[in-house]
Amino acid sequence: MIKKYVYGTPFPTDAAVKNIDASEDKLPFFETDNNGVFTYTLSEDDIVYGLGEQIRGINKRGWQYVSWNYDNPNHHEDTRSLYGAHNFIIISGKVTFGAFFDNAGKMEFDIGYTRRSEMKISSEKNDLIVYIITGENEKDIVKQFRQLIGRSYIPPFWAFGYGQSRWGYRNEQDIRAVAEQYKAAGIPLDSIYLDIDYMERYKDFTVDRERFPDLEKLVSDMKEQGIRLVPIIDAGVKIEDGYDVYEEGVRENYFCKNADGEDFVGAVWPGRVHFPDFLQPEARKWFGRKYSALTKLGIEGFWNDMNEPAIFYTEDRLADTCAEIEKLTSGNMGINEYFAFTGMVAGLNGNMGDYDKFYHNVNGQQVKHSDVHNLYGMNMTRSAFEALQEICPDKRTLFFSRASYIGAHRYGGIWQGDNKSWWSHILQSMQQLPALNMAGFLFTGSDTGGFGCDTTEDLMLRWLQYSLFTPLFRNHSADGTRMQELYRFDNVSAAAEMIRIRYCLIPYLYSEFLKAALKDEMMFKPLAFDFPDDDMAKQTEDQLLLGDELMIAPVYKQNARGRYVYLPEEMMLVRMKSWDNYVTQILPKGHHYVDIPLDELVFFIRSKKAIPFCSPAGNTSEIDHESMKLIGYAHSSYELYYDDGYSPDPKDSLEKYTIS
């Protein structure tokens, strides 16, 4: 059962699609001061799940989280905000229920941080909607919530292939070289991503004709090899006379305004920019139609970035900072002056005060951006999704975004942001997956190998052994870091085998994705969701259930030759050296140490279950569903969901059949 409680005058977020009348009853479970603060007393055994893309473990107890979409590349344990705001939690204990705090502004979730026995949830203003969801168990609560917020985005089938990306592919020759070297190494590949390098001076919907003289031909040539090019689009529009997007936006008042009613000026990659006012329906339509400049060239997928929105600086803050720095550096810089200096420079990027300086036009009313900040990225993706339904009405387009709010899951996926080549970020990504699925985000994954810092061969192999199970499977790295295309490492054959295994698993992964989307369920679950009476399952934070058939337990520590695994029931261990060289072993319920050599993939099939497994392919168009066999327990079967992979509504071509 879902009950809705309205406080003040909430801004309409469009997170929920199901209309529920507001309850006049007293809010259950929480005490509230009717000033935006909600308090819940935690028992010692309570587990708190959710909050989507956040740091720390699957159980969120013991930290303070801030829902504020933030361009933060340093995902440390003391981080409080990342790129998404996903205010849905489930408290699991003596009383089990879900709570969604639907509020577009900043919120704080103190979950046993200040006081271990207390959860305090605070909104800056008492203008929000609280949904309370009760049900049979955690999975039932998730299902009800997902029905409240609408069906998850389903990408085209080719999006489940392996993708190679890098900020730093500077020209057409770089792209062709990547494709050629993957082919020479015998590594399957479905997509190559274009970062900001393809643009003319970082202007959206433009192409640098010197470095990419004929993008349309490049797109066509890549498609002949089964490879799609996927360009990036940023939120900021460069201020430049003669640039049509800038001039149209100014003329039609499609940009966010400052307090004086002038177009707000921030700065990102191109320098000075304006930000489209995505809360205006007409501005959304206008910006979304601009994607046609690239779909006309054959592009079939996009990733939206910098849409928190990121702000490197504003001109007034930059001027004030430079003036203060000049004072500090005019004399002897002692420790106080030095820390003031470094703090001022660091404080330019994403400064909270800058988000108070601009406004949206909502039905003729000025709305301060900071009051609706977390909706910006969602509405940028919505802009593209809705426009492309008109531009390309006969097929699905790949979309995923960096920033998001609950509701954005209907328009596209997300990637888990600008991570680092740190071993801990394998675990962090894995621990985010259940909470993201709870919030509706099914098409997601991490930058495999790590985006920032320099990766290593062993880190890349271990990351591949995790990421090959996630829907979004992309190797992405930052300019200036070590090149990390798989063919550059000594053990190319091991990396290639991991990618081939991914392609053998795609029919299963795509089927489980369709089931999760169409049934409003989770693709990745904590062990405790299926084993609620198992105390050890409740404490297991580095293993996940995938669908109803698999359990994954990746290695995420350097130089580890194996790991301890807890099995909540008897399972079949599958050990793969290659797609056609594997062994299986039945292990009983309990704790086991499992040897996992660097070049082997290990996963587990649940009791009396089996999964489909096909022959490898060079890309998704070559996957042979007729070659599928089952791996798992004897006399088991599997119900496969499959569609044509491109129709806008998968239900129009959906097929279900049993493999036994």
Side-chain angles (χ1 to χ4, degrees):
M1 176 184 290
I2 303 177
K3 299 194 78 172
K4 174 181 177 181
Y5 302 86
V6 179
Y7 295 86
T9 308
F11 186 88
T13 66
D14 294 335
V17 298
K18 191 174 181 180
N19 187 33
I20 296 176
D21 292 334
S23 174
E24 300 296 329
D25 298 339
K26 182 180 183 295
L27 180 72
F29 307 120
F30 293 92
E31 295 295 329
T32 180
D33 64 354
N34 290 312
N35 197 31
V37 178
F38 302 83
T39 305
Y40 179 78
T41 300
L42 294 165
S43 69
E44 186 60 32
D45 294 332
D46 279 345
I47 297 173
V48 181
Y49 297 105
L51 293 184
E53 186 185 52
Q54 265 292 2
I55 48 87
R56 304 236 169 182
I58 293 173
N59 183 354
K60 294 301 179 187
R61 284 191 72 161
W63 192 239
Q64 181 190 53
Y65 309 89
V66 178
S67 279
W68 178 266
N69 293 354
Y70 180 44
D71 175 17
N72 179 12
N74 298 308
H75 309 170
H76 298 291
E77 280 193 26
D78 63 350
T79 297
R80 285 175 165 80
S81 300
L82 288 175
Y83 310 93
H86 309 131
N87 304 337
F88 175 52
I89 57 174
I90 291 178
I91 294 89
S92 176
K94 291 181 179 179
V95 178
T96 297
F97 66 95
F100 172 41
F101 295 82
D102 191 8
N103 173 32
K106 182 179 177 183
M107 290 200 72
E108 293 185 0
F109 290 78
D110 181 333
I111 306 178
Y113 168 72
T114 301
R115 296 179 60 197
R116 176 156 179 80
S117 62
E118 183 178 85
M119 174 167 60
K120 184 171 287 188
I121 299 167
S122 307
S123 170
E124 289 197 336
K125 294 183 178 180
N126 193 40
D127 297 314
L128 73 161
I129 298 173
V130 180
Y131 294 89
I132 298 295
I133 309 170
T134 54
E136 295 178 6
N137 51 41
E138 294 89 349
K139 291 188 291 185
D140 180 46
I141 290 168
V142 170
K143 190 178 187 75
Q144 291 184 62
F145 178 64
R146 294 271 300 281
Q147 290 169 344
L148 171 70
I149 60 176
R151 194 179 82 184
S152 297
Y153 163 80
I154 299 174
F157 182 68
W158 63 263
F160 283 75
Y162 176 69
Q164 179 60 55
S165 181
R166 182 173 174 86
W167 169 24
Y169 292 152
R170 304 195 187 285
N171 51 46
E172 177 181 326
Q173 291 72 30
D174 286 349
I175 301 299
R176 292 188 183 277
V178 168
E180 290 168 4
Q181 291 180 82
Y182 266 97
K183 183 177 181 180
I187 303 175
L189 184 67
D190 259 272
S191 54
I192 298 176
Y193 288 78
L194 305 180
D195 211 311
I196 55 177
D197 315 273
Y198 82 92
M199 298 178 184
E200 178 188 300
R201 298 192 306 281
Y202 309 129
K203 294 185 294 184
D204 281 338
F205 311 113
T206 67
V207 178
D208 188 313
R209 296 299 177 182
E210 291 186 6
R211 290 179 289 157
F212 293 86
D214 192 343
L215 183 60
E216 186 172 15
K217 185 176 188 307
L218 178 62
V219 170
S220 176
D221 290 349
M222 290 296 105
K223 280 187 184 178
E224 289 181 5
Q225 301 177 47
I227 298 170
R228 265 90 169 178
L229 298 187
V230 184
I232 196 170
I233 300 293
D234 286 339
V237 172
K238 181 177 174 62
I239 298 172
E240 180 179 285
D241 290 339
Y243 173 34
D244 62 333
V245 183
Y246 160 69
E247 292 186 339
E248 289 173 18
V250 171
R251 183 174 65 249
E252 302 297 331
N253 284 311
Y254 287 152
F255 294 127
C256 294
K257 305 292 185 181
N258 63 22
D260 296 325
E262 300 170 342
D263 291 328
F264 174 76
V265 179
V268 280
W269 300 118
R272 299 169 70 247
V273 299
H274 294 321
F275 293 109
D277 185 356
F278 290 116
L279 297 189
Q280 284 190 54
E282 289 305 315
R284 276 201 305 273
K285 290 179 184 178
W286 162 74
F287 193 85
R289 288 171 182 150
K290 293 297 178 183
Y291 285 78
S292 66
L294 294 167
T295 59
K296 288 176 183 176
L297 305 181
I299 294 296
E300 297 179 55
F302 300 90
W303 48 307
N304 287 342
D305 195 14
M306 306 295 285
N307 54 348
E308 291 75 27
I311 302 177
F312 290 169
Y313 64 85
T314 55
E315 291 184 317
D316 56 347
R317 190 175 302 280
L318 179 64
D320 291 344
T321 300
C322 289
E324 288 299 314
I325 287 175
E326 186 175 359
K327 293 178 187 176
L328 289 171
T329 56
S330 62
N332 177 51
M333 281 184 68
I335 185 170
N336 293 331
E337 291 81 9
Y338 172 75
F339 283 122
F341 167 78
T342 56
M344 275 189 247
V345 174
L348 285 171
N349 182 39
N351 191 287
M352 295 289 285
D354 290 337
Y355 295 97
D356 288 328
K357 295 178 180 177
F358 62 103
Y359 296 80
H360 297 269
N361 177 1
V362 180
N363 299 322
Q365 300 295 314
Q366 267 196 342
V367 175
K368 187 185 291 187
H369 173 81
S370 55
D371 290 339
V372 293
H373 171 75
N374 292 330
L375 297 181
Y376 194 83
M378 165 183 166
N379 280 286
M380 179 182 180
T381 302
R382 178 181 181 178
S383 165
F385 177 83
E386 292 179 342
L388 266 295
Q389 285 184 311
E390 298 179 6
I391 296 166
C392 306
D394 299 325
K395 64 183 178 183
R396 290 173 235 165
T397 302
L398 171 63
F399 287 113
F400 58 91
S401 169
R402 192 170 73 177
S404 61
Y405 184 79
I406 288 175
H409 70 286
R410 300 192 297 269
Y411 310 117
I414 60 171
W415 88 98
Q416 292 169 301
D418 296 343
N419 60 6
K420 302 282 191 184
S421 298
W422 296 343
W423 288 85
S424 62
H425 278 187
I426 297 177
L427 179 62
Q428 182 181 95
S429 170
M430 181 170 61
Q431 291 174 331
Q432 289 176 357
L433 286 178
L436 285 169
N437 279 199
M438 285 168 57
F441 294 95
L442 298 179
F443 190 73
T444 188
S446 61
D447 285 344
T448 298
F451 173 72
C453 304
D454 294 326
T455 199
T456 59
E457 181 175 293
D458 57 341
L459 176 60
M460 177 59 76
L461 283 170
R462 293 303 195 196
W463 213 313
L464 289 172
Q465 291 161 10
Y466 156 64
S467 286
L468 68 84
F469 291 104
T470 62
L472 174 57
F473 186 26
R474 180 179 75 149
N475 175 345
H476 183 44
S477 57
D479 195 15
T481 64
R482 179 182 185 178
M483 303 287 278
Q484 62 187 48
E485 295 81 8
L486 300 183
Y487 51 75
R488 297 185 183 276
F489 297 105
D490 290 340
N491 199 347
V492 178
S493 60
E497 287 300 339
M498 294 305 115
I499 306 302
R500 293 187 191 107
I501 292 170
R502 160 66 173 216
Y503 278 76
C504 297
L505 287 168
I506 283 178
Y508 170 70
L509 297 173
Y510 187 69
S511 174
E512 289 304 305
F513 186 97
L514 287 176
K515 290 176 185 178
L518 298 176
K519 295 180 179 182
D520 297 308
E521 295 175 349
M522 298 168 67
M523 186 172 177
F524 293 93
K525 294 170 289 186
L527 271 59
F529 276 32
D530 278 7
F531 300 93
D533 298 324
D534 187 324
D535 288 338
M536 186 54 61
K538 294 177 182 178
Q539 297 179 53
T540 302
E541 295 246 333
D542 59 355
Q543 302 167 207
L544 292 178
L545 300 175
L546 197 176
D548 290 329
E549 294 78 24
L550 290 190
M551 186 183 78
I552 61 172
V555 174
Y556 55 91
K557 294 181 180 179
Q558 189 162 29
N559 300 318
R561 299 181 181 182
R563 57 161 292 171
Y564 284 95
V565 174
Y566 174 68
L567 305 186
E569 65 178 356
E570 176 192 285
M571 292 189 184
M572 176 184 286
L573 181 152
V574 181
R575 183 184 299 277
M576 286 191 165
K577 191 90 171 176
S578 66
W579 73 275
D580 57 353
N581 178 11
Y582 62 89
V583 295
T584 63
Q585 177 185 1
I586 303 296
L587 296 178
K589 174 182 175 177
H591 295 275
H592 302 270
Y593 181 81
V594 180
D595 289 310
I596 309 177
L598 188 59
D599 60 353
E600 286 188 2
L601 174 69
V602 166
F603 59 92
F604 300 84
I605 297 178
R606 294 178 61 180
S607 180
K608 312 306 179 189
K609 301 288 187 179
I611 64 167
F613 195 79
C614 68
S615 300
N619 57 65
T620 50
S621 67
E622 297 175 0
I623 290 176
D624 180 11
H625 284 76
E626 299 300 319
S627 71
M628 280 190 295
K629 61 179 181 180
L630 289 180
I631 297 178
Y633 282 79
H635 312 299
S636 296
S637 62
Y638 177 79
E639 185 181 33
L640 185 82
Y641 275 38
Y642 183 65
D643 69 352
D644 62 18
Y646 65 86
S647 293
D649 189 345
K651 287 184 177 180
D652 293 341
S653 61
L654 184 67
E655 297 180 26
K656 307 174 189 178
Y657 59 92
T658 300
I659 306 170
S660 55

